[in-house]
Amino acid sequence: LLLAGDAGGGKRSVAEMDTEVKLGKVSKIIGRTGSRGGITQVRIEFLDDQNRSIIRNVKGPVREGDVLTLLESEREARRLK
């Protein structure tokens, strides 16, 4: 499992993290972003709700079919232009 963390860096208690953690499967690689291309933009389908998908930025190696652990599942990344 890969961990897609909270970019805000806010501190959370263990109880809060347990309630917010969601698993999502990478369904599509959209492209690379960041000043040096170190971030990959992906479409994620949630494992508990197959009808729901969002776009997220992932740091590090990722490919289609990977399962990500999302600490925050409401925020969506802006799409690449």
Tab-separated table of all heavy atoms in Angstrom, residues 12-23 48 70-74:
chain	number	residue	atom	x	y	z
A	12	ARG	N	-3.064	15.172	13.691
A	12	ARG	CA	-4.322	14.505	13.958
A	12	ARG	C	-4.091	13.419	14.989
A	12	ARG	O	-3.030	12.826	15.051
A	12	ARG	CB	-4.854	13.845	12.688
A	12	ARG	CG	-5.155	14.828	11.606
A	12	ARG	CD	-5.690	14.105	10.431
A	12	ARG	NE	-6.019	15.074	9.401
A	12	ARG	CZ	-6.310	14.754	8.171
A	12	ARG	NH1	-6.316	13.515	7.798
A	12	ARG	NH2	-6.617	15.683	7.299
A	13	SER	N	-5.126	13.134	15.758
A	13	SER	CA	-5.017	12.041	16.713
A	13	SER	C	-5.214	10.713	15.997
A	13	SER	O	-5.721	10.663	14.874
A	13	SER	CB	-6.071	12.200	17.813
A	13	SER	OG	-7.350	11.985	17.282
A	14	VAL	N	-4.826	9.637	16.636
A	14	VAL	CA	-4.970	8.312	16.036
A	14	VAL	C	-6.448	8.008	15.793
A	14	VAL	O	-6.815	7.432	14.782
A	14	VAL	CB	-4.326	7.244	16.948
A	14	VAL	CG1	-4.596	5.854	16.418
A	14	VAL	CG2	-2.839	7.494	17.059
A	15	ALA	N	-7.329	8.420	16.692
A	15	ALA	CA	-8.763	8.161	16.532
A	15	ALA	C	-9.306	8.861	15.292
A	15	ALA	O	-10.124	8.300	14.567
A	15	ALA	CB	-9.518	8.627	17.772
A	16	GLU	N	-8.862	10.081	15.024
A	16	GLU	CA	-9.318	10.801	13.837
A	16	GLU	C	-8.832	10.124	12.566
A	16	GLU	O	-9.565	10.021	11.600
A	16	GLU	CB	-8.814	12.236	13.850
A	16	GLU	CG	-9.511	13.128	14.836
A	16	GLU	CD	-8.925	14.525	14.842
A	16	GLU	OE1	-7.869	14.762	14.229
A	16	GLU	OE2	-9.540	15.391	15.471
A	17	MET	N	-7.600	9.645	12.562
A	17	MET	CA	-7.052	9.020	11.367
A	17	MET	C	-7.788	7.722	11.052
A	17	MET	O	-8.014	7.402	9.905
A	17	MET	CB	-5.555	8.753	11.546
A	17	MET	CG	-4.739	10.018	11.539
A	17	MET	SD	-3.005	9.717	11.777
A	17	MET	CE	-2.558	9.059	10.209
A	18	ASP	N	-8.187	6.962	12.071
A	18	ASP	CA	-8.889	5.710	11.833
A	18	ASP	C	-10.220	5.934	11.141
A	18	ASP	O	-10.635	5.132	10.324
A	18	ASP	CB	-9.115	4.964	13.150
A	18	ASP	CG	-7.828	4.364	13.695
A	18	ASP	OD1	-6.875	4.233	12.903
A	18	ASP	OD2	-7.787	4.034	14.884
A	19	THR	N	-10.896	7.016	11.461
A	19	THR	CA	-12.209	7.242	10.874
A	19	THR	C	-12.116	7.799	9.454
A	19	THR	O	-13.031	7.626	8.679
A	19	THR	CB	-13.027	8.218	11.736
A	19	THR	OG1	-12.315	9.451	11.832
A	19	THR	CG2	-13.268	7.651	13.120
A	20	GLU	N	-11.024	8.441	9.097
A	20	GLU	CA	-10.927	9.099	7.797
A	20	GLU	C	-10.200	8.276	6.740
A	20	GLU	O	-10.261	8.614	5.575
A	20	GLU	CB	-10.191	10.434	7.950
A	20	GLU	CG	-10.948	11.439	8.788
A	20	GLU	CD	-10.212	12.756	8.853
A	20	GLU	OE1	-9.461	13.066	7.925
A	20	GLU	OE2	-10.385	13.452	9.851
A	21	VAL	N	-9.492	7.237	7.108
A	21	VAL	CA	-8.684	6.489	6.148
A	21	VAL	C	-9.581	5.762	5.155
A	21	VAL	O	-10.522	5.081	5.528
A	21	VAL	CB	-7.764	5.486	6.873
A	21	VAL	CG1	-7.097	4.553	5.895
A	21	VAL	CG2	-6.733	6.233	7.685
A	22	LYS	N	-9.301	5.959	3.868
A	22	LYS	CA	-10.037	5.279	2.802
A	22	LYS	C	-9.036	4.644	1.857
A	22	LYS	O	-7.948	5.150	1.656
A	22	LYS	CB	-10.891	6.279	2.020
A	22	LYS	CG	-12.003	6.880	2.826
A	22	LYS	CD	-13.244	6.923	1.992
A	22	LYS	CE	-14.351	7.524	2.816
A	22	LYS	NZ	-15.567	6.801	2.680
A	23	LEU	N	-9.432	3.545	1.253
A	23	LEU	CA	-8.601	2.877	0.261
A	23	LEU	C	-9.129	3.186	-1.122
A	23	LEU	O	-10.338	3.186	-1.353
A	23	LEU	CB	-8.600	1.359	0.480
A	23	LEU	CG	-8.007	0.873	1.787
A	23	LEU	CD1	-8.131	-0.640	1.878
A	23	LEU	CD2	-6.559	1.284	1.914
A	48	ASP	N	-14.549	1.096	-1.483
A	48	ASP	CA	-15.840	0.896	-0.827
A	48	ASP	C	-17.012	1.463	-1.633
A	48	ASP	O	-18.148	1.120	-1.391
A	48	ASP	CB	-15.835	1.502	0.580
A	48	ASP	CG	-15.538	2.989	0.580
A	48	ASP	OD1	-15.124	3.514	-0.468
A	48	ASP	OD2	-15.705	3.626	1.630
A	70	LEU	N	-5.722	6.747	1.546
A	70	LEU	CA	-5.981	8.189	1.550
A	70	LEU	C	-6.367	8.628	2.958
A	70	LEU	O	-7.377	8.180	3.502
A	70	LEU	CB	-7.106	8.532	0.571
A	70	LEU	CG	-6.857	8.122	-0.879
A	70	LEU	CD1	-8.122	8.288	-1.690
A	70	LEU	CD2	-5.736	8.930	-1.464
A	71	LEU	N	-5.556	9.509	3.539
A	71	LEU	CA	-5.867	10.042	4.866
A	71	LEU	C	-6.957	11.087	4.789
A	71	LEU	O	-7.650	11.344	5.773
A	71	LEU	CB	-4.607	10.638	5.496
A	71	LEU	CG	-3.444	9.668	5.705
A	71	LEU	CD1	-2.259	10.409	6.292
A	71	LEU	CD2	-3.868	8.508	6.570
A	72	GLU	N	-7.122	11.675	3.623
A	72	GLU	CA	-8.136	12.705	3.405
A	72	GLU	C	-8.756	12.419	2.046
A	72	GLU	O	-8.047	12.344	1.054
A	72	GLU	CB	-7.463	14.074	3.454
A	72	GLU	CG	-8.394	15.239	3.646
A	72	GLU	CD	-9.083	15.609	2.362
A	72	GLU	OE1	-8.413	15.620	1.328
A	72	GLU	OE2	-10.287	15.879	2.399
A	73	SER	N	-10.068	12.235	1.996
A	73	SER	CA	-10.687	11.772	0.757
A	73	SER	C	-11.662	12.767	0.139
A	73	SER	O	-12.288	12.460	-0.867
A	73	SER	CB	-11.422	10.451	1.006
A	73	SER	OG	-12.421	10.630	1.984
A	74	GLU	N	-11.801	13.944	0.704
A	74	GLU	CA	-12.745	14.927	0.165
A	74	GLU	C	-12.093	15.887	-0.832
A	74	GLU	O	-12.723	16.319	-1.771
A	74	GLU	CB	-13.371	15.736	1.298
A	74	GLU	CG	-14.210	14.881	2.246
A	74	GLU	CD	-15.366	14.197	1.537
A	74	GLU	OE1	-16.038	14.843	0.711
A	74	GLU	OE2	-15.584	13.006	1.796
